[in-house]
Amino acid sequence: MTRVRTEELLALQRESGRVRNMCILAHVDHGKTTLSDLLVSSNGIISERQAGKLRFLDSLEEEQTRGITMRASAISLIYRSKARKPGGGNAPLPPPSAVPSA
């Protein structure tokens, strides 16, 4: 997936009906950072090969050194769902560039 332009992301964020907030909670060593990296890679911010190794959201030097997450991080990502057609098939939603800006 390619990177999303900042203007497109801002336009999407202005539409509160398309915004989803989520939190990842799990026990120690149960894949929270790997899952976060995979979500980040799905938007083309890091490569899929780096996901789980890069620790993209661990921004403190001590987090990187010790391999543990100490602080919460927030990031905006794009999710393109597939709308259902009346016949049961999937129809992709328009790309972010088709979203009117507010």
Side-chain angles (χ1 to χ4, degrees):
M1 177 175 264
T2 60
R3 285 189 178 203
V4 178
R5 291 190 351 254
T6 303
E7 301 82 29
E8 292 175 318
L9 188 57
L10 291 173
L12 288 168
Q13 289 175 336
R14 284 191 282 269
E15 290 187 52
S16 61
R18 295 185 67 164
V19 173
R20 302 294 183 265
N21 296 311
M22 62 175 278
C23 176
I24 301 170
L25 295 173
H27 198 271
V28 175
D29 291 333
H30 277 71
K32 298 176 294 293
T33 300
T34 302
L35 175 60
S36 299
D37 278 1
L38 288 169
L39 291 170
V40 170
S41 74
S42 75
N43 273 230
I45 298 170
I46 63 173
S47 76
E48 288 183 28
R49 283 185 287 153
Q50 291 178 309
K53 300 174 192 139
L54 184 63
R55 306 183 65 85
F56 184 79
L57 297 178
D58 289 348
S59 55
L60 298 175
E61 184 178 340
E62 190 172 1
E63 289 177 315
Q64 290 287 336
T65 304
R66 295 176 63 187
I68 59 174
T69 302
M70 298 176 178
R71 302 186 86 184
S73 297
I75 189 167
S76 295
L77 302 172
I78 299 292
Y79 171 74
R80 290 181 181 90
S81 65
K82 294 184 178 180
R84 294 274 180 201
K85 287 187 200 177
N90 289 331
L93 292 178
S97 56
V99 177
S101 53

